[in-house]
Amino acid sequence: MTEQDRTTPILTIEELEHTYGRVTVLDDVSFAVDPGDVTAIIGPNGSGKTTLIRGVVGLHEPSGGTVRYRGPDATRPIGYLQQRPAFRPGQTVREALAFYAALVGETEADAVARLERVGLGAEADRKGEALSGGMTRLVGIAQATVGDPPLIVLDEPASGLDPGMSVRIFEVAEELTAAGTAVLLSSHDLSLVERTADRVALLDDGSVAQLGTPAEIRAELGADSLLAAFESAITGDAGTVRVRGET
């Protein structure tokens, strides 16, 4: 990957809007995702993170604005891990990954190599239903990398996991960027976001309240941590769910 490739956004989100009936969930959301970066979306419950993620991966059409993939031609431009990945009952991890690999012309050996990349090579013959929650997420990340998509999108990949497994999930995300892959993820774990993310988009009430590196956001808000910046930037109570309605 050339230096120019690394500085040209792989994804641009421009003036994105999404409504459900009379309820506005996203309003004028704009930012870019660069190759080789971890870009994190953070925000309180109900701020629109998952709606934004689903719009990026094409699971629904936005009410307004655009999402443009600007990366290289690829068999699979975007890999996606949903919040609660599930695999067919009775399948081994190897079988599940081999199925997805075959869809893009990869071999079973390629599938196992992807498991090894996330640290689960030794679990290849374990049944999917026997995996812990953290292992299931790691298998989901391995599946998201099938076909070597230039952009990987992870929706709350560490939600509900123990601290050690959460750290491993973020380590894998960071490792993916070493070869120039872009990672876009949403998370409530602000300490890991602060440690890992190159850029952060803080959503509040459906709009981007802050955008920049963790250090830039801390400096802008005079905070000594991303958590303190988060608490300073959002409106209302951080523990409540808020959905913007039409006025």
Side-chain angles (χ1 to χ4, degrees):
M1 177 175 292
T2 67
E3 187 61 30
Q4 182 177 4
D5 291 336
R6 285 186 176 274
T7 58
T8 300
I10 196 168
L11 185 82
T12 56
I13 299 164
E14 300 171 343
E15 300 177 348
L16 198 69
E17 299 178 0
H18 197 92
T19 60
Y20 292 102
R22 295 175 57 85
V23 176
T24 299
V25 181
L26 297 174
D27 183 16
D28 194 25
V29 172
S30 299
F31 64 91
V33 177
D34 291 333
D37 279 0
V38 174
T39 301
I41 305 167
I42 64 173
N45 292 329
S47 60
K49 298 186 299 299
T50 292
T51 299
L52 175 55
I53 290 285
R54 290 174 64 84
V56 166
V57 300
L59 292 179
H60 57 219
E61 288 291 326
S63 305
T66 58
V67 176
R68 290 191 175 94
Y69 170 79
R70 299 178 179 275
D73 291 336
T75 303
R76 188 186 185 197
I78 301 175
Y80 171 54
L81 171 68
Q82 60 185 341
Q83 281 193 34
R84 296 177 179 84
F87 301 95
R88 184 176 299 176
Q91 277 190 327
T92 65
V93 174
R94 181 196 304 270
E95 291 168 339
L97 264 291
F99 170 79
Y100 289 107
L103 294 177
V104 295
E106 294 184 352
T107 66
E108 181 177 303
D110 294 325
V112 173
R114 296 189 185 282
L115 288 171
E116 291 172 347
R117 187 176 183 181
V118 299
L120 289 182
E123 310 300 330
D125 294 316
R126 183 184 290 201
K127 294 290 180 67
E129 56 266 35
L131 298 176
S132 68
M135 287 181 176
T136 301
R137 300 285 176 81
L138 286 170
V139 173
I141 293 176
Q143 187 274 327
T145 69
V146 167
D148 291 319
L151 171 63
I152 303 289
V153 179
L154 311 175
D155 190 2
E156 294 285 353
S159 176
L161 303 183
D162 66 71
M165 188 58 78
S166 295
V167 168
R168 178 58 189 150
I169 294 288
F170 273 78
E171 286 176 346
V172 171
E174 192 170 24
E175 289 165 5
L176 288 171
T177 66
T181 301
V183 175
L184 175 65
L185 61 83
S186 61
S187 182
H188 284 293
D189 195 324
L190 299 188
S191 63
L192 286 174
V193 167
E194 183 166 14
R195 185 162 70 182
T196 307
D198 298 286
R199 202 157 183 247
V200 175
L202 194 164
L203 294 187
D204 185 35
D205 204 20
S207 298
V208 177
Q210 294 288 327
L211 180 64
T213 67
E216 288 169 345
I217 292 175
R218 291 196 311 267
E220 173 71 21
L221 297 171
D224 59 5
S225 69
L226 190 59
L227 174 59
F230 173 92
E231 293 172 337
S232 174
I234 64 173
T235 59
D237 182 353
T240 63
V241 177
R242 299 184 310 284
V243 179
R244 180 192 304 192
E246 279 192 344
T247 56

Coordinates of all heavy atoms in Angstrom, one line a residue, residues 56-133:
V56 N -23.6 1.6 7.2 CA -22.3 1.5 6.6 C -22.2 0.2 5.8 O -21.7 0.1 4.7 CB -21.2 1.6 7.6 CG1 -19.9 1.2 7.0 CG2 -21.1 3.1 8.1
V57 N -22.7 -0.9 6.4 CA -22.5 -2.2 5.8 C -23.7 -2.6 4.8 O -23.7 -3.7 4.3 CB -22.4 -3.4 6.9 CG1 -21.1 -3.1 7.7 CG2 -23.6 -3.5 7.7
G58 N -24.6 -1.7 4.7 CA -25.7 -1.8 3.7 C -26.9 -2.6 4.1 O -27.6 -3.1 3.3
L59 N -27.1 -2.8 5.4 CA -28.2 -3.5 5.9 C -29.5 -2.7 5.9 O -30.6 -3.2 6.0 CB -28.0 -4.0 7.3 CG -26.9 -5.1 7.4 CD1 -26.7 -5.5 8.9 CD2 -27.3 -6.3 6.6
H60 N -29.4 -1.4 5.7 CA -30.5 -0.6 5.4 C -30.1 0.7 4.7 O -29.0 1.1 4.7 CB -31.3 -0.2 6.7 CG -30.6 0.5 7.8 ND1 -30.7 0.2 9.1 CD2 -29.6 1.5 7.7 CE1 -29.9 1.0 9.8 NE2 -29.2 1.8 9.0
E61 N -31.1 1.3 4.0 CA -30.8 2.5 3.2 C -31.0 3.7 4.1 O -32.0 3.8 4.9 CB -31.8 2.6 2.0 CG -31.5 1.6 0.9 CD -30.2 2.0 0.2 OE1 -29.9 3.2 0.1 OE2 -29.5 1.0 -0.3
P62 N -30.1 4.7 4.1 CA -30.3 5.9 4.9 C -31.4 6.7 4.4 O -31.8 6.6 3.2 CB -28.9 6.6 4.7 CG -28.4 6.1 3.4 CD -28.8 4.7 3.3
S63 N -32.0 7.5 5.2 CA -33.1 8.4 4.8 C -32.5 9.6 4.0 O -33.2 10.2 3.2 CB -33.8 8.9 6.0 OG -34.3 7.9 6.8
G64 N -31.3 9.9 4.2 CA -30.6 11.0 3.5 C -29.1 10.8 3.7 O -28.6 10.1 4.5
G65 N -28.3 11.6 2.8 CA -26.9 11.5 2.9 C -26.4 10.3 2.1 O -27.1 9.5 1.5
T66 N -25.0 10.1 2.2 CA -24.4 9.0 1.5 C -23.3 8.3 2.3 O -22.7 8.9 3.2 CB -23.7 9.6 0.2 OG1 -22.7 10.6 0.6 CG2 -24.7 10.2 -0.7
V67 N -23.1 7.1 2.0 CA -22.0 6.3 2.5 C -21.3 5.8 1.3 O -21.9 5.1 0.4 CB -22.5 5.1 3.3 CG1 -21.3 4.2 3.7 CG2 -23.3 5.5 4.6
R68 N -20.0 6.1 1.1 CA -19.3 5.8 -0.1 C -18.0 5.0 0.3 O -17.1 5.5 1.0 CB -18.8 7.0 -0.9 CG -20.0 7.8 -1.5 CD -19.4 8.8 -2.5 NE -20.5 9.5 -3.3 CZ -21.1 10.6 -2.9 NH1 -20.7 11.2 -1.8 NH2 -22.0 11.1 -3.7
Y69 N -17.9 3.8 -0.2 CA -16.7 3.0 -0.1 C -15.8 3.4 -1.2 O -16.1 3.5 -2.4 CB -17.0 1.5 -0.3 CG -15.8 0.6 -0.4 CD1 -15.1 0.3 0.7 CD2 -15.4 0.2 -1.6 CE1 -13.9 -0.5 0.6 CE2 -14.2 -0.6 -1.8 CZ -13.5 -1.0 -0.6 OH -12.4 -1.7 -0.8
R70 N -14.6 3.8 -0.8 CA -13.6 4.4 -1.8 C -12.3 3.5 -1.8 O -11.3 4.0 -2.3 CB -13.2 5.8 -1.4 CG -14.4 6.8 -1.4 CD -14.1 8.2 -1.0 NE -15.2 9.1 -1.0 CZ -15.6 9.8 -2.1 NH1 -15.0 9.6 -3.2 NH2 -16.6 10.6 -2.0
G71 N -12.4 2.3 -1.3 CA -11.2 1.5 -1.3 C -10.9 0.8 -2.6 O -11.6 1.0 -3.6
P72 N -9.9 -0.1 -2.6 CA -9.6 -0.8 -3.8 C -10.6 -1.9 -4.2 O -11.4 -2.3 -3.3 CB -8.3 -1.5 -3.4 CG -8.3 -1.6 -1.9 CD -9.0 -0.4 -1.5
D73 N -10.7 -2.3 -5.4 CA -11.6 -3.3 -5.8 C -11.2 -4.6 -5.0 O -10.0 -4.9 -4.9 CB -11.4 -3.6 -7.3 CG -12.0 -2.5 -8.2 OD1 -12.8 -1.7 -7.7 OD2 -11.5 -2.4 -9.3
A74 N -12.2 -5.3 -4.5 CA -12.0 -6.5 -3.7 C -13.2 -7.4 -3.9 O -14.3 -7.0 -4.1 CB -11.8 -6.1 -2.3
T75 N -12.9 -8.7 -3.8 CA -14.0 -9.7 -3.8 C -15.0 -9.4 -2.8 O -16.2 -9.5 -3.0 CB -13.4 -11.1 -3.6 OG1 -12.4 -11.4 -4.6 CG2 -14.5 -12.2 -3.7
R76 N -14.6 -8.9 -1.6 CA -15.4 -8.6 -0.5 C -14.9 -7.3 0.1 O -14.0 -7.3 0.9 CB -15.4 -9.7 0.5 CG -16.4 -9.6 1.7 CD -16.1 -10.7 2.7 NE -17.1 -10.6 3.7 CZ -17.0 -11.3 4.9 NH1 -15.9 -11.9 5.2 NH2 -17.9 -11.2 5.8
P77 N -15.5 -6.1 -0.3 CA -14.9 -4.9 0.1 C -15.0 -4.6 1.6 O -14.1 -4.1 2.2 CB -15.8 -3.8 -0.6 CG -16.4 -4.6 -1.8 CD -16.5 -6.0 -1.3
I78 N -16.1 -5.1 2.2 CA -16.4 -4.8 3.7 C -16.7 -6.1 4.4 O -17.6 -6.9 4.0 CB -17.5 -3.8 3.9 CG1 -17.3 -2.5 3.1 CG2 -17.8 -3.6 5.3 CD1 -18.4 -1.5 3.2
G79 N -15.9 -6.4 5.5 CA -16.2 -7.5 6.3 C -17.0 -7.0 7.6 O -16.7 -5.9 8.0
Y80 N -17.9 -7.8 8.1 CA -18.8 -7.3 9.1 C -19.0 -8.3 10.3 O -19.2 -9.5 10.0 CB -20.2 -7.0 8.5 CG -21.3 -6.6 9.5 CD1 -21.1 -5.6 10.4 CD2 -22.5 -7.3 9.4 CE1 -22.2 -5.3 11.3 CE2 -23.5 -7.0 10.3 CZ -23.4 -6.0 11.2 OH -24.4 -5.7 12.1
L81 N -18.9 -7.8 11.5 CA -19.2 -8.6 12.7 C -20.4 -8.0 13.4 O -20.2 -6.8 13.9 CB -18.0 -8.7 13.6 CG -18.3 -9.4 15.0 CD1 -18.6 -10.8 14.9 CD2 -17.1 -9.2 16.0
Q82 N -21.5 -8.7 13.4 CA -22.6 -8.1 14.2 C -22.4 -8.3 15.7 O -21.5 -9.0 16.1 CB -23.9 -8.8 13.7 CG -23.9 -10.3 13.9 CD -25.1 -11.0 13.4 OE1 -26.1 -10.4 13.1 NE2 -25.0 -12.3 13.1
Q83 N -23.3 -7.7 16.4 CA -23.2 -7.7 17.9 C -23.2 -9.1 18.5 O -22.4 -9.5 19.4 CB -24.3 -6.9 18.6 CG -24.0 -5.4 18.5 CD -25.0 -4.7 19.5 OE1 -25.3 -5.1 20.5 NE2 -25.4 -3.5 19.1
R84 N -24.1 -10.0 17.9 CA -24.2 -11.3 18.5 C -24.0 -12.3 17.3 O -25.0 -12.8 16.8 CB -25.6 -11.5 19.2 CG -25.7 -10.6 20.4 CD -27.1 -10.7 21.0 NE -27.2 -9.9 22.2 CZ -27.5 -8.6 22.1 NH1 -27.7 -8.0 21.0 NH2 -27.6 -7.9 23.3
P85 N -22.8 -12.6 17.0 CA -22.6 -13.6 15.9 C -23.1 -15.0 16.2 O -23.1 -15.4 17.4 CB -21.1 -13.6 15.7 CG -20.5 -13.2 17.0 CD -21.5 -12.2 17.6
A86 N -23.7 -15.7 15.3 CA -24.2 -17.0 15.5 C -23.7 -17.9 14.3 O -23.7 -17.5 13.2 CB -25.7 -17.0 15.6
F87 N -23.5 -19.2 14.6 CA -23.1 -20.1 13.6 C -24.0 -21.3 13.7 O -24.7 -21.6 14.7 CB -21.6 -20.5 13.8 CG -20.7 -19.4 13.8 CD1 -20.3 -18.7 14.9 CD2 -20.2 -18.9 12.5 CE1 -19.4 -17.6 14.9 CE2 -19.4 -17.8 12.5 CZ -19.0 -17.1 13.6
R88 N -24.1 -22.1 12.6 CA -25.0 -23.2 12.5 C -24.7 -24.2 13.6 O -23.6 -24.7 13.8 CB -24.9 -23.8 11.1 CG -25.9 -25.0 10.9 CD -25.8 -25.5 9.5 NE -26.1 -24.4 8.5 CZ -26.0 -24.6 7.2 NH1 -25.6 -25.8 6.7 NH2 -26.3 -23.6 6.4
P89 N -25.8 -24.7 14.3 CA -25.6 -25.7 15.4 C -25.0 -27.0 14.8 O -25.4 -27.4 13.7 CB -27.0 -25.9 15.9 CG -27.7 -24.6 15.6 CD -27.2 -24.2 14.3
G90 N -24.1 -27.5 15.6 CA -23.5 -28.8 15.2 C -22.2 -28.7 14.3 O -21.4 -29.6 14.2
Q91 N -22.0 -27.5 13.8 CA -20.8 -27.3 13.0 C -19.6 -27.0 13.9 O -19.7 -26.4 14.9 CB -21.0 -26.1 12.0 CG -21.7 -26.3 10.8 CD -21.5 -25.1 9.8 OE1 -21.5 -24.0 10.2 NE2 -21.5 -25.4 8.5
T92 N -18.5 -27.5 13.4 CA -17.2 -27.1 14.1 C -16.8 -25.7 13.6 O -17.3 -25.2 12.6 CB -16.1 -28.1 13.8 OG1 -15.8 -28.0 12.4 CG2 -16.5 -29.5 14.2
V93 N -15.9 -25.1 14.4 CA -15.4 -23.8 14.0 C -14.8 -23.9 12.6 O -14.9 -23.0 11.7 CB -14.5 -23.3 15.0 CG1 -13.8 -22.0 14.5 CG2 -15.2 -23.1 16.3
R94 N -14.0 -25.0 12.4 CA -13.3 -25.2 11.1 C -14.4 -25.2 9.9 O -14.2 -24.6 8.9 CB -12.6 -26.5 11.1 CG -11.8 -26.8 9.8 CD -11.4 -28.2 9.8 NE -10.6 -28.6 10.9 CZ -9.3 -28.5 11.0 NH1 -8.6 -28.1 10.0 NH2 -8.6 -28.9 12.1
E95 N -15.5 -26.0 10.1 CA -16.5 -26.1 9.1 C -17.2 -24.8 8.8 O -17.5 -24.5 7.7 CB -17.5 -27.2 9.5 CG -17.0 -28.6 9.6 CD -17.9 -29.6 10.3 OE1 -18.7 -29.1 11.1 OE2 -17.7 -30.8 10.0
A96 N -17.5 -24.1 9.9 CA -18.1 -22.8 9.7 C -17.3 -21.8 8.9 O -17.8 -21.2 7.9 CB -18.5 -22.2 11.1
L97 N -16.0 -21.7 9.2 CA -15.1 -20.8 8.5 C -14.8 -21.3 7.1 O -14.7 -20.5 6.2 CB -13.8 -20.6 9.3 CG -13.7 -19.4 10.2 CD1 -13.7 -18.1 9.4 CD2 -14.9 -19.3 11.2
A98 N -14.7 -22.6 6.9 CA -14.5 -23.2 5.6 C -15.6 -22.9 4.7 O -15.4 -22.6 3.5 CB -14.2 -24.7 5.7
F99 N -16.9 -22.9 5.2 CA -18.0 -22.5 4.4 C -17.9 -21.1 3.8 O -18.1 -20.9 2.6 CB -19.3 -22.7 5.2 CG -20.5 -22.1 4.5 CD1 -21.2 -22.9 3.5 CD2 -21.0 -20.9 4.9 CE1 -22.3 -22.4 2.9 CE2 -22.2 -20.4 4.2 CZ -22.8 -21.1 3.2
Y100 N -17.6 -20.2 4.7 CA -17.5 -18.8 4.2 C -16.3 -18.6 3.3 O -16.4 -17.8 2.3 CB -17.4 -17.8 5.4 CG -18.7 -17.7 6.2 CD1 -18.8 -18.3 7.4 CD2 -19.8 -17.0 5.7 CE1 -20.0 -18.2 8.2 CE2 -21.0 -16.9 6.4 CZ -21.1 -17.6 7.6 OH -22.3 -17.5 8.3
A101 N -15.2 -19.3 3.6 CA -14.0 -19.2 2.8 C -14.3 -19.7 1.3 O -13.9 -19.1 0.4 CB -12.9 -20.0 3.4
A102 N -15.0 -20.8 1.2 CA -15.3 -21.3 -0.1 C -16.1 -20.4 -0.9 O -16.0 -20.4 -2.2 CB -16.1 -22.7 0.1
L103 N -16.9 -19.5 -0.3 CA -17.8 -18.5 -1.1 C -16.9 -17.5 -1.8 O -17.4 -17.0 -2.8 CB -18.7 -17.8 -0.1 CG -19.8 -18.7 0.6 CD1 -20.6 -17.8 1.5 CD2 -20.7 -19.3 -0.5
V104 N -15.7 -17.3 -1.4 CA -14.8 -16.3 -2.0 C -13.6 -17.0 -2.6 O -12.6 -16.4 -2.9 CB -14.4 -15.2 -1.1 CG1 -15.6 -14.4 -0.6 CG2 -13.6 -15.8 0.2
G105 N -13.6 -18.3 -2.8 CA -12.6 -19.1 -3.5 C -11.4 -19.4 -2.6 O -10.3 -19.7 -3.1
E106 N -11.6 -19.3 -1.3 CA -10.5 -19.7 -0.4 C -10.6 -21.2 0.1 O -11.7 -21.8 -0.1 CB -10.4 -18.8 0.9 CG -10.1 -17.4 0.5 CD -10.0 -16.5 1.8 OE1 -10.3 -16.9 2.9 OE2 -9.5 -15.3 1.6
T107 N -9.5 -21.7 0.6 CA -9.5 -23.1 1.0 C -9.8 -23.3 2.5 O -9.8 -22.3 3.2 CB -8.2 -23.8 0.6 OG1 -7.2 -23.2 1.5 CG2 -7.8 -23.6 -0.8
E108 N -10.0 -24.5 2.9 CA -10.1 -24.8 4.3 C -8.8 -24.4 5.1 O -8.9 -23.9 6.2 CB -10.4 -26.3 4.5 CG -10.6 -26.7 6.0 CD -10.9 -28.1 6.2 OE1 -11.9 -28.6 5.6 OE2 -10.2 -28.8 6.9
A109 N -7.7 -24.6 4.4 CA -6.4 -24.2 5.1 C -6.4 -22.7 5.3 O -5.9 -22.2 6.3 CB -5.2 -24.6 4.2
D110 N -6.9 -21.9 4.3 CA -7.0 -20.5 4.5 C -7.9 -20.1 5.7 O -7.6 -19.2 6.5 CB -7.6 -19.8 3.2 CG -6.7 -20.0 2.0 OD1 -5.5 -19.9 2.2 OD2 -7.3 -20.1 0.9
A111 N -9.0 -20.9 5.8 CA -9.9 -20.6 7.0 C -9.2 -20.9 8.3 O -9.4 -20.1 9.2 CB -11.2 -21.5 6.8
V112 N -8.5 -22.0 8.4 CA -7.8 -22.3 9.6 C -6.7 -21.2 9.9 O -6.5 -20.8 11.0 CB -7.1 -23.7 9.5 CG1 -6.2 -24.0 10.7 CG2 -8.2 -24.8 9.4
A113 N -6.0 -20.7 8.8 CA -5.0 -19.7 9.0 C -5.7 -18.4 9.6 O -5.1 -17.7 10.4 CB -4.4 -19.4 7.7
R114 N -6.9 -18.2 9.2 CA -7.6 -17.0 9.8 C -8.0 -17.2 11.3 O -7.9 -16.3 12.1 CB -8.8 -16.7 9.0 CG -8.5 -16.3 7.6 CD -9.7 -15.7 6.8 NE -9.2 -15.5 5.4 CZ -8.6 -14.4 5.0 NH1 -8.2 -13.5 5.9 NH2 -8.2 -14.2 3.7
L115 N -8.3 -18.5 11.6 CA -8.5 -18.8 13.0 C -7.2 -18.6 13.8 O -7.2 -18.1 14.9 CB -9.0 -20.2 13.2 CG -10.5 -20.4 12.7 CD1 -10.8 -21.9 12.7 CD2 -11.4 -19.7 13.7
E116 N -6.1 -19.1 13.3 CA -4.8 -18.9 13.9 C -4.5 -17.4 14.1 O -3.9 -17.0 15.1 CB -3.7 -19.6 13.1 CG -3.9 -21.1 13.2 CD -3.0 -21.9 12.2 OE1 -2.4 -21.2 11.4 OE2 -2.8 -23.1 12.3
R117 N -4.9 -16.6 13.2 CA -4.5 -15.2 13.2 C -5.2 -14.5 14.4 O -4.7 -13.6 15.0 CB -5.0 -14.5 11.9 CG -4.6 -13.1 11.8 CD -5.0 -12.5 10.4 NE -4.6 -11.2 10.2 CZ -4.9 -10.5 9.1 NH1 -5.6 -11.0 8.2 NH2 -4.4 -9.2 9.0
V118 N -6.4 -15.0 14.8 CA -7.1 -14.4 16.0 C -6.8 -15.2 17.3 O -7.4 -15.0 18.3 CB -8.6 -14.3 15.7 CG1 -8.9 -13.4 14.6 CG2 -9.3 -15.7 15.6
G119 N -5.9 -16.3 17.2 CA -5.6 -17.0 18.4 C -6.4 -18.2 18.6 O -6.4 -18.8 19.8
L120 N -7.2 -18.7 17.6 CA -8.1 -19.8 17.9 C -7.8 -21.0 17.0 O -8.6 -21.9 16.8 CB -9.5 -19.4 17.6 CG -10.2 -18.4 18.6 CD1 -11.6 -18.2 18.3 CD2 -10.1 -19.0 20.1
G121 N -6.5 -21.1 16.5 CA -6.2 -22.3 15.7 C -6.4 -23.6 16.5 O -6.8 -24.6 15.8
A122 N -6.1 -23.6 17.7 CA -6.3 -24.9 18.5 C -7.7 -25.3 18.7 O -8.0 -26.4 19.2 CB -5.6 -24.7 19.9
E123 N -8.7 -24.3 18.5 CA -10.1 -24.6 18.7 C -10.8 -24.9 17.4 O -12.1 -25.0 17.4 CB -10.7 -23.4 19.3 CG -10.0 -22.8 20.6 CD -9.9 -23.8 21.7 OE1 -10.8 -24.7 21.8 OE2 -8.9 -23.7 22.4
A124 N -10.1 -25.2 16.3 CA -10.7 -25.4 15.0 C -11.8 -26.5 15.0 O -12.8 -26.4 14.3 CB -9.7 -25.6 14.0
D125 N -11.6 -27.5 15.8 CA -12.5 -28.7 15.8 C -13.5 -28.7 16.9 O -14.2 -29.7 17.1 CB -11.7 -30.0 15.8 CG -10.9 -30.1 14.5 OD1 -11.4 -29.9 13.4 OD2 -9.7 -30.5 14.6
R126 N -13.6 -27.6 17.6 CA -14.6 -27.4 18.6 C -15.9 -27.0 18.0 O -16.0 -26.2 17.1 CB -14.2 -26.4 19.7 CG -15.2 -26.3 20.8 CD -14.8 -25.3 21.8 NE -13.6 -25.6 22.6 CZ -13.3 -25.1 23.8 NH1 -14.1 -24.1 24.3 NH2 -12.2 -25.4 24.4
K127 N -17.0 -27.5 18.5 CA -18.4 -27.1 18.0 C -18.6 -25.7 18.4 O -18.2 -25.2 19.5 CB -19.4 -28.0 18.6 CG -19.4 -29.5 18.2 CD -19.7 -29.6 16.8 CE -19.7 -31.1 16.3 NZ -20.7 -31.9 17.0
G128 N -19.3 -25.0 17.5 CA -19.5 -23.5 17.7 C -20.3 -23.3 19.0 O -20.0 -22.3 19.7
E129 N -21.3 -24.1 19.4 CA -22.1 -23.9 20.6 C -21.3 -24.1 21.8 O -21.7 -23.8 22.9 CB -23.3 -24.8 20.6 CG -23.1 -26.2 20.4 CD -23.2 -26.7 19.0 OE1 -22.7 -26.0 18.1 OE2 -23.6 -27.9 18.8
A130 N -20.1 -24.7 21.7 CA -19.3 -25.0 22.9 C -18.3 -23.8 23.2 O -17.5 -23.9 24.2 CB -18.5 -26.3 22.7
L131 N -18.3 -22.8 22.4 CA -17.4 -21.7 22.5 C -17.9 -20.7 23.6 O -19.1 -20.5 23.8 CB -17.2 -20.9 21.2 CG -16.6 -21.7 20.1 CD1 -16.6 -20.8 18.8 CD2 -15.2 -22.2 20.4
S132 N -17.0 -20.1 24.3 CA -17.4 -19.0 25.2 C -17.8 -17.8 24.3 O -17.6 -17.7 23.1 CB -16.2 -18.6 26.0 OG -15.2 -18.0 25.3
G133 N -18.4 -16.8 25.0 CA -18.8 -15.6 24.3 C -17.6 -14.9 23.6 O -17.7 -14.4 22.4

